[in-house]
Amino acid sequence: MIALIFCGDLKYCPYIHRYTELLEKAKKDYRIYFWNRSGISLNLSEKYIFYNYSSELNNGKVRKFFDFVRFRTWLIGQLEKNHYEKIIVLSTLTGVILGNYLYKRRGDYIFDIRDYSYEHILPFYNIEKKIIENSAFTTISSAGFKSFLPEHEFVIAHNLNRNEIDLDKKFTKAEKTINFVWNGMLRYFEFQRQYLDALKNDSRFNIIYHGDGPELEKYKSYCAQSGFINVHFTGSYDNSDKERLLLGAHILNNCYGYTHGNNNKVKYAVSNRFYDGIINHIPQLVEMDGFKPKWANSSGVGVSFPPNRDFANKLYDYYQSIDADRFNQSCERELKRIIDEDDIFVEKIKKFIE
């Protein structure tokens, strides 16, 4: 039997389905261990086993430390009691919490890294390094992570849903107003405000935000007080509606905030929206610094401009200059490369579980 483990609420681990789908197809028995940190009522199948202890994300460091110690004690007890043949470790923090328990199981686990974590802390980095070295293989969701991780031969696990791929999608240029579209959780208001101001009431652009989130009201209040007439908020949506919403997008707003200081999660990561752009053949605007803009600019699937006084003209001119055939070829080339790398990821998982 195989154990999948995650040190938090499963809503923060959507990529777990990549593993469970393959386990189901291979008819392998498995159990999912996670921490119900939010303390919500759960009604799950017997495959889901959770540590039911509420722990607020904004708790102090000391309280958080002891909460994680309790979770670790519970988790190791569960793993040792049930004698799992193999383990799939989801997230860096999950792996570091287990630490020496994993060292002793050399080659019996997959280590899945999805974000920059606490690699700037040397003891944390050293534990992570040893976990990587002893894993059957370690997978990362962005090649940009190689900038802060130990040197190793990593497997790339792209954050995309293969079921969303439609090879018939093509770029079609807008004939009139350009829809500049954000889809997903609304965050990074202080950063996004610069783009809002740069496009304020410019008749060439509609600014559309699909989704909700902790900063939605901040966005709405600012736009109302500032007299915006070309900004539209559509609210929350189900993922099944995403394709329909993106049909009306001409440029994706894929700017995720500042990348200096402590915001290394943005600097090295690749957002789900980046794949939305490639899959749906929609050009995208990305932030100025980091791995994502390097990929977007070098591949021809996107562009980055600073939100300065001439931003609106630059964005308009960029869009009008797009050669449809060349842009479609760029998207198709990148999508093929992504699929080829994803095939390697899938085959590695299959060999591990079989």
Side-chain angles (χ1 to χ4, degrees), residues 98-128:
L98 287 174
N100 59 358
Y101 176 81
L102 293 175
Y103 305 161
K104 295 180 290 187
R105 302 203 51 162
R106 182 181 178 90
D108 284 343
Y109 62 90
I110 296 171
F111 190 25
D112 190 312
I113 298 173
R114 297 282 162 159
D115 284 301
Y116 177 90
S117 191
Y118 299 98
E119 283 79 8
H120 57 285
I121 301 173
L122 186 58
F124 187 99
Y125 178 88
N126 287 336
I127 294 171
E128 183 179 18

Side-chain angles (χ1 to χ4, degrees), residues 238-280:
D238 188 87
N239 199 55
S240 61
D241 295 324
K242 185 171 72 170
E243 182 178 5
R244 175 180 58 81
L245 295 174
L246 290 179
L247 283 174
H250 302 133
I251 303 175
L252 284 184
N253 177 353
N254 196 5
C255 300
Y256 268 45
Y258 298 104
T259 57
H260 59 269
N262 294 323
N263 209 350
N264 286 322
K265 287 189 176 182
V266 173
K267 184 173 184 178
Y268 301 112
V270 179
S271 62
N272 291 351
R273 193 171 306 129
F274 191 86
Y275 296 102
D276 289 340
I278 293 173
I279 290 170
N280 293 281

